[in-house]
Amino acid sequence: MKQKRFILSESELPKQWYNIQADMPNKPLPPIHPATKQPLGVDDLAHIFPRECCVQELDQEHAFIDIPEEVQEKYRYYRSTPLVRAYALEEALGTPAHIYFKNESVNPLGSHKINSALPQCYYAKQEGTTNVTTETGAGQWGAALSYAASVFGLEAAVYQVKISMQQKPYRSSIMRTFGAAVTGSPSMSTRAGKDIITRDPRHPGSLGTAISEAVELATTTPNCKYTLGSVLNHVAIHQSIIGLEAEKQMEMAGEYPDTVIACFGGGSNFGGIAFPFMRHNIKDGKTTEFIAAEPESCPKLTRGEFRYDFGDEAGYTPLLPMFTLGHAFKPANIHAGGLRYHGAGMIVSQLIKDGLMHGVDIPQLETFEAGLLFARTEGIIPAPESSHAIAATIREALKCKETGEEKVILFNLSGHGLIDMTAYEQYLNGDLMNYKISDTDIQNTLQSVPKV
Ligand SMILES: *Cc1c(COP(=O)(O)O)cnc(C)c1O
């Protein structure tokens, strides 16, 4: 069995990120203030986030943005990441499709999150910030941020979703090894946390509760900025490094993708691999299909509504225009912790409305079955999140088997699963199940969306 890898030399590494906002036929709607309903500007956001991130967030003009030299230097520790032709997986499926994956699991932190953690901490440091805070679900973002904070000499405080902390204990050890302070959310350390625990003492935590707590800490602590690992536009800009490299690597392979697939939590790894290729759909008439694979138990892309909703459970954040299940949505305890968020990013939400991409829902058991096949053929144990992308890829490859089409499919392997072995253990023991959510439940949680 063969495996073919494509790597870029140092001089071929991208020196700019791609900002799809500049090229979108319809721009994303602006975030708005919950009370005044006025669109927010850079100054409104800059008391929470590093200012440069706010500038990028609202930049609908510049398609390419320079990567600071210091960030490029840290990228070179692990980039480029390999683009791999998955011959063994193709063979196992008996498909005529050509399957490629971009391997974002090969950095010391094990997921794509580090691509945005580095610039966010770099900009925070440049502005004289001493502390950064954030939330983390499965723990990949918290781990990446803790590392990036230590690289640029910042103190990090991380709120980790309680249920994920119990399911994935090693991730908090990783964060603490890099010097971060880690607290399970909801906690009694913030007003938001206390309110949530008072209402529901057994709340398992969600990205929504953890965001509320981290935002509260950032806005009540001097010299402390909040950072976010997904959902927002500037995160998708930083992650474009994935697709920009993949574009060059596909060229080395002599192919261009017919289909690009990534798993979907808030949209950062999806946007990262997809947007540089989508640019050619918008500008050059290419017809690549873009598929975002979300969990059946958290189906905001396919069954949510396009509304202005809060990004967090307590309602502290600005209102964001997005496909949402309602900010009070409590996802089932699936093992893909990074995909348990109630809403989609603003860019992706607009792109779905405009028909430039679409979502697909994958049941939990199918994702693990796909993960196992991938591990046994390609030798990499994927993160449960990434297994959603693999499952969607397998579906497409099997369609090709029926039609005989030699489609070129590219998917993003967003991370490895070596710290998720409890999940694999449960799957192998037959202890996992699917969680399908009913229309009535969705209608109920949508009641939490404010009327704008
Ligand atoms: C966080 C995470 C995701 C989901 O987040 P996106 O912003 O949607 O990319 C997917 N895979 C891995 C490995 C993650 O850590």
Side-chain angles (χ1 to χ4, degrees):
M1 292 200 190
K2 303 177 276 182
Q3 200 194 46
K4 208 165 182 180
R5 303 162 87 235
F6 301 90
I7 310 269
L8 300 177
S9 68
E10 210 168 288
S11 63
E12 292 170 309
L13 293 180
K15 294 185 168 36
Q16 294 183 308
W17 292 301
Y18 174 57
N19 173 21
I20 195 173
Q21 295 184 88
D23 291 333
M24 286 167 69
N26 296 305
K27 307 297 177 197
L29 297 174
I32 61 175
H33 191 284
T36 64
K37 309 283 191 290
Q38 290 303 306
L40 295 177
V42 168
D43 288 338
D44 302 305
L45 298 171
H47 71 284
I48 305 178
F49 300 100
R51 172 167 289 270
E52 185 57 31
C53 294
C54 304
V55 170
Q56 294 173 0
E57 186 67 23
L58 300 176
D59 186 341
Q60 301 188 339
E61 214 177 300
H62 303 97
F64 289 92
I65 294 171
D66 290 342
I67 306 174
E69 192 52 56
E70 291 84 344
V71 174
Q72 286 189 44
E73 189 187 313
K74 296 302 170 192
Y75 276 174
R76 288 197 286 267
Y77 277 49
Y78 64 96
R79 306 206 71 88
S80 67
T81 62
L83 176 84
V84 184
R85 171 86 185 261
Y87 283 111
L89 177 63
E90 288 171 20
E91 224 167 279
L93 295 170
T95 177
H98 296 188
I99 302 176
Y100 291 83
F101 65 94
K102 178 74 168 155
N103 189 353
E104 286 297 309
S105 81
V106 285
N107 67 67
L109 281 306
S111 88
H112 69 287
K113 296 285 196 323
I114 186 177
N115 300 330
S116 184
L118 287 168
Q120 291 193 46
C121 286
Y122 168 77
Y123 290 128
K125 183 69 178 182
Q126 286 298 101
E127 292 167 18
T129 298
T130 54
N131 291 59
V132 285
T133 181
T134 195
E135 80 298 326
T136 192
Q140 289 102 325
W141 170 246
L145 186 83
S146 303
Y147 162 72
S150 78
V151 162
F152 291 109
L154 301 163
E155 297 291 328
V158 180
Y159 287 94
Q160 182 173 17
V161 176
K162 219 181 253 172
I163 177 82
S164 301
M165 204 168 183
Q166 290 157 4
Q167 283 176 346
K168 306 184 176 191
Y170 289 127
R171 283 257 166 60
S172 52
S173 322
I174 293 173
M175 293 183 255
R176 292 170 56 212
T177 300
F178 286 116
V182 186
T183 310
S185 173
S187 77
M188 296 299 275
S189 74
T190 61
R191 210 200 69 206
K194 282 181 199 160
D195 286 351
I196 294 163
I197 291 174
T198 308
R199 279 200 309 274
D200 181 358
R202 276 202 293 268
H203 198 302
S206 66
L207 282 174
T209 67
I211 294 174
S212 303
E213 295 202 84
V215 170
E216 182 177 327
L217 184 73
T219 49
T220 54
T221 312
N223 282 322
C224 179
K225 285 290 163 73
Y226 170 67
T227 63
L228 192 55
S230 182
V231 181
L232 296 179
N233 305 343
H234 66 269
V235 185
I237 292 174
H238 304 154
Q239 293 296 352
S240 68
I241 189 84
I242 303 172
L244 292 166
E245 283 183 4
E247 217 185 323
K248 296 187 180 188
Q249 290 163 311
M250 288 300 301
E251 222 174 283
M252 291 165 78
E255 303 216 74
Y256 191 88
D258 297 302
T259 311
V260 175
I261 298 174
C263 67
F264 195 96
S268 77
N269 94 89
F270 173 83
I273 191 144
F275 294 167
F277 290 101
M278 201 179 284
R279 171 163 184 262
H280 300 297
N281 278 31
I282 298 171
K283 297 182 78 82
D284 312 323
K286 292 274 190 198
T287 54
T288 300
E289 181 183 8
F290 297 93
I291 304 176
E294 62 180 2
E296 184 187 41
S297 56
C298 192
K300 63 230 173 199
L301 300 178
T302 55
R303 297 169 70 198
E305 280 181 16
F306 186 76
R307 303 273 292 274
Y308 266 104
D309 195 9
F310 290 108
D312 67 323
E313 176 119 0
Y316 282 3
T317 68
L319 288 172
L320 307 173
M322 57 188 189
F323 275 91
T324 178
L325 294 165
H327 63 278
F329 178 69
K330 281 205 204 77
N333 294 336
I334 56 161
H335 278 279
L339 309 186
R340 296 169 75 241
Y341 185 64
H342 68 273
M346 292 179 277
I347 294 176
V348 161
S349 295
Q350 186 63 47
L351 294 171
I352 289 190
K353 268 185 84 183
D354 292 343
L356 281 154
M357 57 171 283
H358 63 95
V360 58
D361 296 342
I362 318 270
Q364 175 160 259
L365 294 179
E366 185 180 337
T367 68
F368 277 91
E369 198 183 319
L372 249 57
L373 180 63
F374 186 74
R376 289 170 189 180
T377 49
E378 297 297 324
I380 302 168
I381 299 180
E385 290 86 354
S386 315
S387 292
H388 288 69
I390 299 170
T393 298
I394 291 175
R395 284 188 188 183
E396 293 303 310
L398 291 178
K399 277 186 214 162
C400 291
K401 188 175 176 176
E402 269 174 27
T403 60
E405 277 176 295
E406 265 186 46
K407 275 194 183 170
V408 177
I409 305 174
L410 167 65
F411 78 87
N412 192 43
L413 184 74
S414 53
H416 69 66
L418 291 178
I419 308 163
D420 302 284
M421 294 318 292
T422 339
Y424 279 90
E425 180 79 11
Q426 288 179 12
Y427 174 72
L428 293 166
N429 291 341
D431 292 339
L432 291 188
M433 55 187 260
N434 289 331
Y435 299 90
K436 198 170 163 72
I437 158 168
S438 74
D439 289 337
T440 325
D441 285 345
I442 291 180
Q443 283 315 314
N444 283 340
T445 71
L446 278 171
Q447 301 293 327
S448 66
V449 179
K451 299 202 163 42
V452 173

